[in-house]
Amino acid sequence: MMNLQVHIDQHSGFCFGVVYAIEMAEEILEEQGHLYCLGDIVHNDEEVNRLTKKGLKIIDHAELKDLTDEKVLIRAHGEPPSTYELAINNNLTLIDASCPVVLKLQNRIKNSFDKDETIYIYGKHGHAEVIGLLGQTNNKAVVFQDINELDIPSLPGNMTLYSQTTKSTDKFYEINDVLKNNGITVNTNDTICRQVSNRDKELRSFAEKFDKIIFVSGTKSSNGKVLFNVCKEKNPHTFFVSNPDQVDKTWFEVNNSVGICGATSTPMWLMEQVKEKIAAF
């Protein structure tokens, strides 16, 4: 036995938006045995597999077009207006589990668009939340995930800046400063979820307390990639896993202290399974 001291970060795991969506899904699955979900309910394959075994059916937008007279869950990321229009036409009952933070952001972007403001969104290209945000502007807003994508000299003199809710606060304000320092008048809207951004600060402190850090996340999670890098920056001995089978015994030394943490899309039960695997070494 390696006598490893293993601790799970109690601040890690699902954010309230994901908890809300999964609770709604489980409630309906218990009642009727099946439920359609538009896209992965959460960016974690292990949790998706758990729910599909209970009857959750993941569909994409192409499949939605051919679906009629069914219940469909809208996940926490939200959806563009076109999805709601399609639901009416196909007699679909939408179970809307859009995160309240995302819905508030959608409304703010829609108001800006209605005022003919020039909208820029700091976010990941093709991300489900970003597609929903773009939909509020008839896809006319400009999305960028790095300031280097923008040709600064050709940018408009005035813009309204928003952010995907799960982006880095520090990075957002760096972008804001670059734009303003280049003479652009920016109407800045900090729309980053504080439950997510606070994880950043909490994990910096957590990562420093242990010899090794095991970060548990799905590979599709944008938030997971950001928070993994936060841990890695503070503790170079940080390892990324998506399930217990990926944990490698050679990462550890006798009597190591090990911290386990994860993304806002990582279920606590999965981190507990990883802990059991490590504790058995």
Side-chain angles (χ1 to χ4, degrees), residues 8 20 40 46-47 51 65 82 100 113 136 140 160 168 207 218 223 227 232 234 238 249 252 268 270 275 277:
I8 296 177
Y20 178 60
D40 287 345
E46 303 298 319
E47 179 67 4
L51 290 168
K65 290 177 182 176
S82 56
F113 179 69
Q136 309 306 317
K140 291 180 181 177
T160 298
S168 161
N223 165 255
L227 294 181
K232 188 85 172 173
K234 284 295 177 182
T238 296
K249 187 175 181 179
F252 311 103
M268 185 58 70
L270 185 57
K275 178 182 178 179
K277 176 77 178 278

Side-chain angles (χ1 to χ4, degrees), residues 136-163:
Q136 309 306 317
T137 71
N138 290 338
N139 296 322
K140 291 180 181 177
V142 176
V143 174
F144 66 99
Q145 55 191 41
D146 190 281
I147 190 70
N148 295 329
E149 294 177 23
L150 302 178
D151 180 34
I152 302 288
S154 67
L155 291 177
N158 288 273
M159 70 167 64
T160 298
L161 180 64
Y162 287 99
S163 173

Side-chain angles (χ1 to χ4, degrees), residues 7-281:
H7 302 274
I8 296 177
D9 173 28
Q10 293 305 307
H11 296 292
S12 284
F14 291 154
C15 61
F16 73 86
V18 173
V19 170
Y20 178 60
I22 288 176
E23 284 180 349
M24 288 184 78
E26 289 188 314
E27 193 174 304
I28 293 169
L29 288 170
E30 284 179 19
E31 287 175 5
Q32 63 182 43
H34 82 278
L35 173 67
Y36 290 92
C37 181
L38 186 54
D40 287 345
I41 189 169
V42 62
H43 286 154
N44 187 281
D45 289 341
E46 303 298 319
E47 179 67 4
V48 170
N49 290 340
R50 183 183 75 84
L51 290 168
T52 53
K53 287 175 183 173
K54 291 190 169 192
L56 191 71
K57 302 174 190 293
I58 308 295
I59 59 171
D60 58 25
H61 286 81
E63 292 169 305
L64 183 71
K65 290 177 182 176
D66 296 325
L67 198 65
T68 57
D69 308 314
E70 286 283 359
K71 288 182 179 178
V72 180
L73 182 82
I74 301 298
R75 57 194 175 162
H77 300 96
E79 282 292 319
S82 56
T83 298
Y84 295 86
E85 292 165 12
L86 178 63
I88 292 170
N89 294 335
N90 287 15
N91 196 35
L92 297 171
T93 301
L94 294 183
I95 311 300
D96 199 338
S98 300
C99 172
V101 177
V102 174
L103 286 178
K104 183 178 179 182
L105 171 54
Q106 287 186 352
N107 288 333
R108 288 178 68 176
I109 288 179
K110 177 70 165 63
N111 287 337
S112 290
F113 179 69
D114 289 344
K115 294 175 186 174
D116 291 325
E117 295 175 13
T118 303
I119 301 168
Y120 279 69
I121 301 171
Y122 170 47
K124 181 180 178 182
H125 295 294
H127 189 279
E129 180 189 323
V130 173
I131 291 170
L133 301 179
L134 265 176
Q136 309 306 317
T137 71
N138 290 338
N139 296 322
K140 291 180 181 177
V142 176
V143 174
F144 66 99
Q145 55 191 41
D146 190 281
I147 190 70
N148 295 329
E149 294 177 23
L150 302 178
D151 180 34
I152 302 288
S154 67
L155 291 177
N158 288 273
M159 70 167 64
T160 298
L161 180 64
Y162 287 99
S163 173
Q164 180 181 340
T165 60
T166 53
K167 284 305 207 180
S168 161
T169 310
D170 291 345
K171 190 75 174 174
F172 177 73
Y173 280 103
E174 282 175 22
I175 290 166
N176 182 61
D177 289 344
V178 169
L179 294 171
K180 288 185 174 179
N181 291 340
N182 277 275
I184 298 167
T185 301
V186 186
N187 173 16
T188 307
N189 296 271
D190 180 349
T191 51
I192 294 167
C193 175
R194 285 301 177 262
Q195 192 180 11
V196 173
S197 64
N198 287 343
R199 293 272 175 94
D200 183 312
K201 300 178 183 69
E202 290 162 354
L203 279 185
R204 289 179 196 278
S205 172
F206 182 81
E208 292 177 320
K209 295 177 182 176
F210 301 92
D211 297 319
K212 306 288 167 61
I213 293 291
I214 305 301
F215 189 86
V216 187
S217 173
T219 55
K220 298 176 186 175
S221 171
S222 300
N223 165 255
K225 292 183 178 72
V226 170
L227 294 181
F228 168 71
N229 287 326
V230 164
C231 292
K232 188 85 172 173
E233 183 183 309
K234 284 295 177 182
N235 187 333
H237 303 292
T238 296
F239 304 91
F240 187 104
V241 301
S242 295
N243 59 62
D245 294 337
Q246 294 176 355
V247 178
D248 190 334
K249 187 175 181 179
T250 62
W251 294 340
F252 311 103
E253 295 156 18
V254 174
N255 296 326
N256 268 175
S257 62
V258 182
I260 297 174
C261 50
T264 54
S265 53
T266 303
M268 185 58 70
W269 63 262
L270 185 57
M271 288 185 281
E272 287 169 353
Q273 284 188 356
V274 170
K275 178 182 178 179
E276 288 174 16
K277 176 77 178 278
I278 295 170
F281 289 152

